[in-house]
Amino acid sequence: MKRLITSALLVCALALPQTIMADIKPGQIWPDDRGVHVNAHGGGLLKSGNTFYWFGEHKSDTTSSAMVGVTCYSSEDLEHWTYRGVALAVTDEKGSDIERGCILERPKVVYCEKTGKYVMWFHLELKGQGYAAARYGVAVADKAEGPYRFIRSGRVCPGVWPENLANPDTAALTAAMNRKPELEWWTPEWMDYVKKGMFTWRDFKGGQMARDQTVYVDDDGKAYHVFSSEENLTLIIAELTDDYTAHTGRYVRVAPGGQNEAPALMKRNGTYWMITSGCTGWAPNKARMFKAESIWGPWEQLPNPCVGPNADLTFGGQSTYIQQLGDEYMFMADIWRPEHPSDARYIWLPITFKADGTPVVEWQDSWSPKAMLEKVKK
């Protein structure tokens, strides 16, 4: 009997860590309430009351094109997610901007207090055109989970110069664009023209390209569309109208020629921080980080914020969003699986800060956001 009791106690002791183990396990399968791996890639979170909504790309098993649309999940603890359905569905209408088979990526949803509407922004590529269209897309809804009504897609701020490129030498830029093929890509001379606005000028009339993107709402209620532009060479931060559904025409270029994509923003103690990735297709690379005292810049580039195994490849993932939780922050990234898109995985990690305020994203095999959420509720 003693042996049985001792064995039972030993089993309980061994089992105890299992019962308190955190439920967020970066890079592993994440089942929803149906037992199905969450299918919300390249996405972001929206907090409404005590409920979090997770929006992301629905990925099929064999293609990264949009065959379903944007999915939505809800949770109150960030660990256990309930499937809420398709928030924005693609259509079978021929010629529609969001026709089934288009490319619809990185959806982000924000709530506009002025209108009481939920607004979704996303990167859109028209069906059959590869990545040539380079458009933004906008949709709105009356409820967080949708359904969302598609409004429009397009390029950004046609006929408007960025604030930090106010008086470009358009004659010189035109001459440079016409010097093909002798002005080869990636030469120092070519890069100099890029920084001076060669692609900005090329796309001036039709509007600036918009690919990997996010939406950031500042603490004064102003919203900004942040995206990769100029053939993914330059980031752009563009101000949104008060209803969050269009651009005001005010925008700036960030890190021209730096090849940044996958932007994710946060603000802490008055300083803006942005984590991005390099441009290596579906393959992971070393994360970059930028800081600024104003959303309009200037933005200063800092070293990779990631620490731990595989940190130089962003733990095998690519940034997508930063969620603020009271005074704390959570980094979100995707591990892409282009051969089996629906099996892509998620990396969610808490952000810590050095004594000087610099963010750090350190790898953890598992962790719990419970302490963060308790502070938010207080």
Side-chain angles (χ1 to χ4, degrees):
M1 180 63 71
K2 287 182 179 179
R3 286 181 180 176
L4 288 174
I5 292 174
T6 301
S7 297
L9 290 172
L10 179 61
V11 168
C12 290
L14 291 173
L16 184 60
Q18 302 289 335
T19 63
I20 62 174
M21 184 175 291
D23 281 337
I24 292 183
K25 301 178 179 65
Q28 298 188 25
I29 288 288
W30 201 337
D32 64 12
D33 61 308
R34 306 165 299 170
V36 179
H37 180 50
V38 171
N39 199 331
H41 309 282
L45 299 181
L46 169 76
K47 187 174 184 293
S48 180
N50 291 323
T51 302
F52 292 90
Y53 293 89
W54 180 359
F55 299 90
E57 312 160 29
H58 180 280
K59 292 292 190 186
S60 300
D61 293 337
T62 59
T63 178
S64 288
S65 296
M67 308 306 292
V68 174
V70 177
T71 45
C72 177
Y73 296 78
S74 66
S75 173
E76 292 191 359
D77 62 8
L78 294 175
E79 299 176 5
H80 306 92
W81 292 90
T82 299
Y83 179 65
R84 302 298 292 267
V86 179
L88 174 66
V90 295
T91 177
D92 289 319
E93 178 186 345
K94 296 295 182 183
S96 168
D97 288 0
I98 57 170
E99 181 181 353
R100 192 182 312 277
C102 67
I103 296 173
L104 196 165
E105 298 179 331
R106 297 184 176 267
K108 304 295 184 293
V109 174
V110 290
Y111 176 68
C112 181
E113 291 189 3
K114 183 175 181 178
T115 63
K117 301 287 186 181
Y118 295 87
V119 185
M120 178 188 295
W121 284 76
F122 50 91
H123 164 215
L124 180 70
E125 300 289 347
L126 303 178
K127 183 178 180 179
Q129 296 188 23
Y131 279 83
R135 295 188 179 192
Y136 68 84
V138 186
V140 297
D142 295 322
K143 297 188 296 182
E145 65 270 26
Y148 284 76
R149 175 177 59 86
F150 176 69
I151 299 177
R152 82 179 83 84
S153 76
R155 292 283 187 94
V156 179
C157 298
V160 180
W161 289 109
E163 288 195 352
N164 53 356
L165 187 66
N167 297 297
D169 185 346
T170 54
L173 296 175
T174 300
M177 286 188 291
N178 291 333
R179 284 176 53 199
K180 295 177 181 179
E182 64 269 22
L183 184 61
E184 296 181 3
W185 283 50
W186 309 117
T187 61
E189 185 184 11
W190 175 87
M191 182 58 75
D192 183 56
Y193 280 115
V194 168
K195 293 178 180 180
K196 290 177 178 177
M198 181 166 62
F199 288 116
T200 314
W201 176 228
R202 184 198 67 180
D203 297 331
F204 182 74
K205 290 183 179 179
Q208 301 304 311
M209 303 175 85
R211 289 188 177 140
D212 276 14
Q213 65 96 54
T214 192
V215 178
Y216 176 74
V217 179
D218 210 338
D219 44 27
D220 62 358
K222 283 283 187 181
Y224 302 89
H225 185 207
V226 185
F227 53 94
S228 187
S229 190
E230 301 179 22
E231 305 292 354
N232 291 5
L233 288 162
T234 302
L235 290 166
I236 285 179
I237 299 178
E239 184 182 60
L240 297 181
T241 53
D242 288 346
D243 64 1
Y244 299 173
T245 66
H247 301 98
T248 65
R250 186 183 184 191
Y251 71 103
V252 293
R253 302 166 78 220
V254 177
Q259 282 194 292
N260 286 277
E261 60 182 14
L265 269 75
M266 68 177 183
K267 182 180 181 181
R268 182 175 185 264
N269 296 334
T271 299
Y272 297 85
W273 300 90
M274 177 164 51
I275 297 176
T276 70
S277 82
C279 299
T280 53
W282 298 106
N285 55 63
K286 182 186 293 188
R288 293 96 174 270
M289 185 165 63
F290 297 82
K291 67 178 288 190
E293 300 306 313
S294 166
I295 192 77
W296 302 112
W299 288 82
E300 173 192 359
Q301 185 168 348
L302 300 174
N304 176 16
C306 298
V307 174
N310 220 15
D312 280 350
L313 291 177
T314 317
F315 317 118
Q318 186 185 39
S319 51
T320 183
Y321 197 69
I322 296 175
Q323 175 65 40
Q324 184 171 353
L325 299 165
D327 294 330
E328 300 191 63
Y329 302 80
M330 182 178 71
F331 173 75
M332 298 168 58
D334 292 87
I335 300 174
W336 300 112
R337 302 278 174 86
E339 295 80 16
H340 187 187
S342 63
D343 188 43
R345 306 295 177 84
Y346 310 102
I347 298 173
W348 291 15
L349 292 166
I351 297 176
T352 57
F353 298 89
K354 297 179 181 178
D356 64 359
T358 302
V360 176
V361 181
E362 186 171 4
W363 176 261
Q364 298 185 40
D365 290 331
S366 64
W367 67 284
S368 173
K370 184 177 179 181
M372 287 184 176
L373 295 177
E374 287 178 349
K375 291 180 180 179
V376 173
K377 290 178 180 178
K378 291 178 180 178

